[in-house]
Amino acid sequence: MSTLQTIHDVPVLMCAPEGEPIGGERDVLDLIGNAGYQGAEWVVIPAGRLDDAFFRLRTRVAGDIVQKFVNYRLGLAVLGDISRHTEASSALRDFVGECNRGRQTWFLADVEELGQRLSG
């Protein structure tokens, strides 16, 4: 179950760590709809909820999901340790680095780091 939290005056839909794996853009449409209904500006997805295909860029799953969030003008934060994926793929490491320089999609370690990002 997802819950709405306010972090530094920003409404954030926090996805539960348990639940069905998120493996494609169809899977995120419910999250996006829920976020819009609740007035969230950001959606936080625990890294463990994402299907491994998300972390293999050649599958285009990550790009499709990120594009959905861009289209609906929602921020996306992936929280948790993804080091096993970034160590295996320099392309993913570059993608994560590029995302983290922007203001739309972030890959962060934890909620504290999200709070720091949203405060500035």
Side-chain angles (χ1 to χ4, degrees):
M1 178 175 203
S2 302
T3 59
L4 187 69
Q5 294 182 13
T6 301
I7 303 173
H8 295 288
D9 296 324
V10 178
V12 178
L13 186 69
M14 306 288 288
C15 297
E18 312 81 31
E20 293 295 318
I22 298 167
E25 59 185 294
R26 284 189 164 180
D27 297 332
V28 298
L29 286 177
D30 285 339
L31 288 174
I32 289 170
N34 190 7
Y37 177 75
Q38 294 193 47
E41 294 176 17
W42 280 84
V43 175
V44 172
I45 300 176
R49 289 281 306 274
L50 293 166
D51 187 89
D52 280 349
F54 178 90
F55 299 103
R56 291 190 309 273
L57 295 183
R58 69 181 174 276
T59 66
R60 298 185 175 185
V61 171
D64 291 345
I65 287 175
V66 168
Q67 188 61 50
K68 281 291 179 207
F69 281 91
V70 169
N71 290 347
Y72 286 92
R73 294 186 173 105
L74 284 170
L76 169 63
V78 175
L79 289 193
D81 182 13
I82 61 167
S83 60
R84 74 179 175 98
H85 300 290
T86 56
E87 289 169 2
S89 169
S90 62
L92 178 62
R93 198 168 36 253
D94 293 344
F95 176 73
V96 168
E98 187 67 29
C99 286
N100 283 344
R101 281 191 284 280
R103 302 228 10 100
Q104 166 65 44
T105 304
W106 297 329
F107 292 83
L108 307 171
D110 51 35
V111 175
E112 290 76 25
E113 190 175 359
L114 175 64
Q116 291 170 358
R117 289 283 192 117
L118 292 175
S119 70

Short mmCIF file of all heavy atoms in Angstrom, two decimals, residues 42-76:
data_model
loop_
_atom_site.label_atom_id
_atom_site.label_comp_id
_atom_site.label_asym_id
_atom_site.label_seq_id
_atom_site.Cartn_x
_atom_site.Cartn_y
_atom_site.Cartn_z
N TRP A 42 5.98 13.82 -6.15
CA TRP A 42 7.03 12.81 -6.29
C TRP A 42 6.46 11.45 -5.94
O TRP A 42 5.59 11.34 -5.09
CB TRP A 42 8.22 13.11 -5.37
CG TRP A 42 9.12 14.16 -5.93
CD1 TRP A 42 8.97 15.51 -5.84
CD2 TRP A 42 10.31 13.94 -6.68
NE1 TRP A 42 9.99 16.15 -6.49
CE2 TRP A 42 10.83 15.21 -7.02
CE3 TRP A 42 11.00 12.81 -7.11
CZ2 TRP A 42 12.00 15.37 -7.76
CZ3 TRP A 42 12.16 12.97 -7.83
CH2 TRP A 42 12.64 14.24 -8.16
N VAL A 43 7.01 10.41 -6.58
CA VAL A 43 6.70 9.02 -6.24
C VAL A 43 8.01 8.34 -5.88
O VAL A 43 8.99 8.46 -6.61
CB VAL A 43 6.01 8.29 -7.42
CG1 VAL A 43 5.81 6.82 -7.09
CG2 VAL A 43 4.69 8.95 -7.76
N VAL A 44 8.01 7.65 -4.74
CA VAL A 44 9.19 6.92 -4.29
C VAL A 44 8.93 5.43 -4.45
O VAL A 44 7.95 4.90 -3.92
CB VAL A 44 9.51 7.25 -2.82
CG1 VAL A 44 10.61 6.35 -2.30
CG2 VAL A 44 9.91 8.72 -2.69
N ILE A 45 9.80 4.77 -5.20
CA ILE A 45 9.71 3.33 -5.40
C ILE A 45 10.94 2.68 -4.79
O ILE A 45 12.07 3.01 -5.16
CB ILE A 45 9.63 2.97 -6.89
CG1 ILE A 45 8.40 3.62 -7.54
CG2 ILE A 45 9.61 1.46 -7.08
CD1 ILE A 45 8.30 3.41 -9.04
N PRO A 46 10.76 1.75 -3.84
CA PRO A 46 11.91 1.01 -3.32
C PRO A 46 12.57 0.22 -4.44
O PRO A 46 11.88 -0.41 -5.26
CB PRO A 46 11.30 0.08 -2.27
CG PRO A 46 9.97 0.69 -1.92
CD PRO A 46 9.51 1.37 -3.18
N ALA A 47 13.88 0.24 -4.50
CA ALA A 47 14.61 -0.45 -5.56
C ALA A 47 14.24 -1.92 -5.64
O ALA A 47 14.18 -2.49 -6.73
CB ALA A 47 16.11 -0.28 -5.35
N GLY A 48 13.96 -2.53 -4.51
CA GLY A 48 13.60 -3.95 -4.47
C GLY A 48 12.30 -4.27 -5.16
O GLY A 48 12.04 -5.43 -5.50
N ARG A 49 11.45 -3.28 -5.39
CA ARG A 49 10.17 -3.50 -6.08
C ARG A 49 10.33 -3.52 -7.59
O ARG A 49 9.44 -3.98 -8.31
CB ARG A 49 9.17 -2.39 -5.72
CG ARG A 49 8.62 -2.42 -4.33
CD ARG A 49 7.51 -3.43 -4.12
NE ARG A 49 6.40 -3.36 -5.04
CZ ARG A 49 5.34 -2.56 -4.89
NH1 ARG A 49 5.24 -1.77 -3.84
NH2 ARG A 49 4.37 -2.57 -5.78
N LEU A 50 11.45 -3.00 -8.08
CA LEU A 50 11.66 -2.93 -9.53
C LEU A 50 12.19 -4.26 -10.05
O LEU A 50 13.13 -4.84 -9.50
CB LEU A 50 12.64 -1.81 -9.87
CG LEU A 50 12.10 -0.41 -9.60
CD1 LEU A 50 13.23 0.61 -9.64
CD2 LEU A 50 10.99 -0.05 -10.57
N ASP A 51 11.59 -4.72 -11.11
CA ASP A 51 12.03 -5.93 -11.78
C ASP A 51 13.47 -5.75 -12.26
O ASP A 51 13.87 -4.63 -12.62
CB ASP A 51 11.11 -6.21 -12.96
CG ASP A 51 11.38 -7.54 -13.61
OD1 ASP A 51 10.76 -8.53 -13.17
OD2 ASP A 51 12.20 -7.59 -14.55
N ASP A 52 14.23 -6.82 -12.28
CA ASP A 52 15.63 -6.72 -12.73
C ASP A 52 15.76 -6.16 -14.14
O ASP A 52 16.77 -5.54 -14.47
CB ASP A 52 16.32 -8.08 -12.65
CG ASP A 52 16.78 -8.43 -11.24
OD1 ASP A 52 16.75 -7.54 -10.36
OD2 ASP A 52 17.17 -9.59 -11.01
N ALA A 53 14.73 -6.33 -14.96
CA ALA A 53 14.78 -5.78 -16.33
C ALA A 53 14.92 -4.26 -16.31
O ALA A 53 15.50 -3.68 -17.24
CB ALA A 53 13.52 -6.18 -17.10
N PHE A 54 14.42 -3.60 -15.28
CA PHE A 54 14.56 -2.15 -15.17
C PHE A 54 16.03 -1.75 -15.18
O PHE A 54 16.39 -0.72 -15.75
CB PHE A 54 13.90 -1.68 -13.86
CG PHE A 54 14.01 -0.20 -13.62
CD1 PHE A 54 13.04 0.67 -14.08
CD2 PHE A 54 15.09 0.34 -12.91
CE1 PHE A 54 13.13 2.05 -13.86
CE2 PHE A 54 15.19 1.70 -12.68
CZ PHE A 54 14.21 2.55 -13.16
N PHE A 55 16.86 -2.55 -14.56
CA PHE A 55 18.28 -2.22 -14.41
C PHE A 55 19.13 -2.68 -15.60
O PHE A 55 20.33 -2.44 -15.62
CB PHE A 55 18.81 -2.81 -13.10
CG PHE A 55 18.09 -2.25 -11.89
CD1 PHE A 55 17.13 -2.99 -11.24
CD2 PHE A 55 18.37 -0.97 -11.45
CE1 PHE A 55 16.46 -2.47 -10.13
CE2 PHE A 55 17.70 -0.44 -10.36
CZ PHE A 55 16.75 -1.19 -9.70
N ARG A 56 18.52 -3.33 -16.56
CA ARG A 56 19.22 -3.69 -17.81
C ARG A 56 18.71 -2.73 -18.89
O ARG A 56 17.63 -2.92 -19.45
CB ARG A 56 18.93 -5.15 -18.18
CG ARG A 56 19.59 -6.13 -17.23
CD ARG A 56 19.51 -7.58 -17.73
NE ARG A 56 18.17 -8.01 -18.11
CZ ARG A 56 17.27 -8.54 -17.27
NH1 ARG A 56 17.56 -8.70 -16.00
NH2 ARG A 56 16.08 -8.91 -17.72
N LEU A 57 19.48 -1.69 -19.17
CA LEU A 57 19.01 -0.61 -20.02
C LEU A 57 18.61 -1.07 -21.42
O LEU A 57 17.73 -0.48 -22.03
CB LEU A 57 20.07 0.49 -20.10
CG LEU A 57 20.35 1.22 -18.79
CD1 LEU A 57 21.35 2.34 -19.02
CD2 LEU A 57 19.07 1.76 -18.16
N ARG A 58 19.21 -2.13 -21.91
CA ARG A 58 18.88 -2.60 -23.26
C ARG A 58 17.42 -3.06 -23.36
O ARG A 58 16.87 -3.13 -24.46
CB ARG A 58 19.84 -3.69 -23.70
CG ARG A 58 19.69 -5.00 -22.96
CD ARG A 58 20.72 -6.04 -23.45
NE ARG A 58 20.66 -7.23 -22.65
CZ ARG A 58 21.28 -7.40 -21.49
NH1 ARG A 58 22.03 -6.43 -21.00
NH2 ARG A 58 21.18 -8.54 -20.82
N THR A 59 16.78 -3.35 -22.23
CA THR A 59 15.37 -3.76 -22.25
C THR A 59 14.45 -2.57 -22.46
O THR A 59 13.27 -2.75 -22.76
CB THR A 59 14.96 -4.45 -20.93
OG1 THR A 59 15.02 -3.50 -19.86
CG2 THR A 59 15.84 -5.66 -20.65
N ARG A 60 14.94 -1.36 -22.22
CA ARG A 60 14.20 -0.11 -22.34
C ARG A 60 13.12 0.07 -21.26
O ARG A 60 12.32 1.00 -21.34
CB ARG A 60 13.58 0.05 -23.72
CG ARG A 60 14.61 0.10 -24.81
CD ARG A 60 14.00 0.37 -26.13
NE ARG A 60 15.06 0.53 -27.11
CZ ARG A 60 14.85 0.87 -28.34
NH1 ARG A 60 13.63 1.10 -28.76
NH2 ARG A 60 15.86 0.98 -29.18
N VAL A 61 13.08 -0.81 -20.29
CA VAL A 61 12.08 -0.71 -19.23
C VAL A 61 12.30 0.57 -18.43
O VAL A 61 11.35 1.33 -18.18
CB VAL A 61 12.10 -1.96 -18.32
CG1 VAL A 61 11.23 -1.77 -17.09
CG2 VAL A 61 11.67 -3.19 -19.11
N ALA A 62 13.53 0.85 -18.04
CA ALA A 62 13.82 2.07 -17.25
C ALA A 62 13.41 3.31 -18.04
O ALA A 62 12.76 4.21 -17.51
CB ALA A 62 15.29 2.13 -16.87
N GLY A 63 13.78 3.37 -19.30
CA GLY A 63 13.44 4.53 -20.12
C GLY A 63 11.95 4.72 -20.26
O GLY A 63 11.44 5.84 -20.18
N ASP A 64 11.22 3.61 -20.45
CA ASP A 64 9.76 3.69 -20.58
C ASP A 64 9.12 4.19 -19.29
O ASP A 64 8.21 5.02 -19.32
CB ASP A 64 9.18 2.33 -20.96
CG ASP A 64 9.53 1.89 -22.37
OD1 ASP A 64 9.98 2.74 -23.18
OD2 ASP A 64 9.36 0.69 -22.67
N ILE A 65 9.60 3.68 -18.17
CA ILE A 65 9.04 4.09 -16.87
C ILE A 65 9.36 5.55 -16.59
O ILE A 65 8.49 6.34 -16.21
CB ILE A 65 9.53 3.16 -15.75
CG1 ILE A 65 8.84 1.80 -15.87
CG2 ILE A 65 9.29 3.77 -14.37
CD1 ILE A 65 9.33 0.74 -14.90
N VAL A 66 10.60 5.93 -16.76
CA VAL A 66 11.01 7.32 -16.51
C VAL A 66 10.21 8.26 -17.42
O VAL A 66 9.73 9.31 -16.99
CB VAL A 66 12.53 7.50 -16.70
CG1 VAL A 66 12.91 8.97 -16.74
CG2 VAL A 66 13.28 6.78 -15.58
N GLN A 67 10.02 7.87 -18.67
CA GLN A 67 9.27 8.71 -19.61
C GLN A 67 7.83 8.91 -19.16
O GLN A 67 7.27 10.01 -19.31
CB GLN A 67 9.30 8.12 -21.02
CG GLN A 67 8.71 9.04 -22.07
CD GLN A 67 9.47 10.36 -22.17
OE1 GLN A 67 10.70 10.37 -22.28
NE2 GLN A 67 8.76 11.46 -22.14
N LYS A 68 7.21 7.88 -18.60
CA LYS A 68 5.84 8.03 -18.08
C LYS A 68 5.80 9.10 -16.99
O LYS A 68 4.89 9.92 -16.96
CB LYS A 68 5.31 6.71 -17.52
CG LYS A 68 4.82 5.76 -18.56
CD LYS A 68 3.56 6.29 -19.20
CE LYS A 68 3.10 5.33 -20.27
NZ LYS A 68 2.33 5.98 -21.30
N PHE A 69 6.77 9.07 -16.09
CA PHE A 69 6.81 10.07 -15.02
C PHE A 69 7.03 11.48 -15.59
O PHE A 69 6.43 12.44 -15.14
CB PHE A 69 7.85 9.72 -13.96
CG PHE A 69 7.36 8.67 -13.01
CD1 PHE A 69 7.57 7.32 -13.26
CD2 PHE A 69 6.65 9.03 -11.87
CE1 PHE A 69 7.10 6.35 -12.40
CE2 PHE A 69 6.17 8.07 -11.00
CZ PHE A 69 6.39 6.72 -11.26
N VAL A 70 7.88 11.59 -16.59
CA VAL A 70 8.12 12.89 -17.23
C VAL A 70 6.83 13.39 -17.88
O VAL A 70 6.44 14.54 -17.70
CB VAL A 70 9.25 12.78 -18.28
CG1 VAL A 70 9.32 14.02 -19.15
CG2 VAL A 70 10.58 12.52 -17.60
N ASN A 71 6.14 12.50 -18.60
CA ASN A 71 4.91 12.88 -19.28
C ASN A 71 3.85 13.41 -18.31
O ASN A 71 3.09 14.31 -18.64
CB ASN A 71 4.33 11.71 -20.05
CG ASN A 71 5.16 11.33 -21.26
OD1 ASN A 71 6.05 12.06 -21.68
ND2 ASN A 71 4.89 10.17 -21.82
N TYR A 72 3.80 12.82 -17.13
CA TYR A 72 2.81 13.23 -16.13
C TYR A 72 3.34 14.26 -15.15
O TYR A 72 2.69 14.59 -14.17
CB TYR A 72 2.26 12.00 -15.40
CG TYR A 72 1.32 11.19 -16.26
CD1 TYR A 72 1.81 10.14 -17.04
CD2 TYR A 72 -0.02 11.50 -16.34
CE1 TYR A 72 0.95 9.39 -17.85
CE2 TYR A 72 -0.88 10.77 -17.15
CZ TYR A 72 -0.38 9.73 -17.90
OH TYR A 72 -1.23 9.00 -18.71
N ARG A 73 4.53 14.75 -15.42
CA ARG A 73 5.16 15.81 -14.61
C ARG A 73 5.26 15.42 -13.13
O ARG A 73 4.97 16.22 -12.24
CB ARG A 73 4.43 17.12 -14.78
CG ARG A 73 4.53 17.67 -16.17
CD ARG A 73 3.92 19.05 -16.28
NE ARG A 73 4.18 19.61 -17.59
CZ ARG A 73 3.27 19.70 -18.55
NH1 ARG A 73 2.05 19.27 -18.34
NH2 ARG A 73 3.59 20.23 -19.70
N LEU A 74 5.68 14.20 -12.89
CA LEU A 74 5.91 13.70 -11.54
C LEU A 74 7.37 13.34 -11.39
O LEU A 74 7.97 12.78 -12.31
CB LEU A 74 5.08 12.44 -11.26
CG LEU A 74 3.60 12.61 -11.01
CD1 LEU A 74 2.92 11.24 -11.00
CD2 LEU A 74 3.37 13.31 -9.68
N GLY A 75 7.93 13.63 -10.23
CA GLY A 75 9.28 13.20 -9.94
C GLY A 75 9.27 11.73 -9.55
O GLY A 75 8.30 11.22 -8.99
N LEU A 76 10.35 11.04 -9.86
CA LEU A 76 10.52 9.63 -9.51
C LEU A 76 11.80 9.48 -8.72
O LEU A 76 12.86 9.91 -9.17
CB LEU A 76 10.59 8.76 -10.77
CG LEU A 76 11.02 7.31 -10.57
CD1 LEU A 76 10.02 6.56 -9.68
CD2 LEU A 76 11.20 6.61 -11.90
#
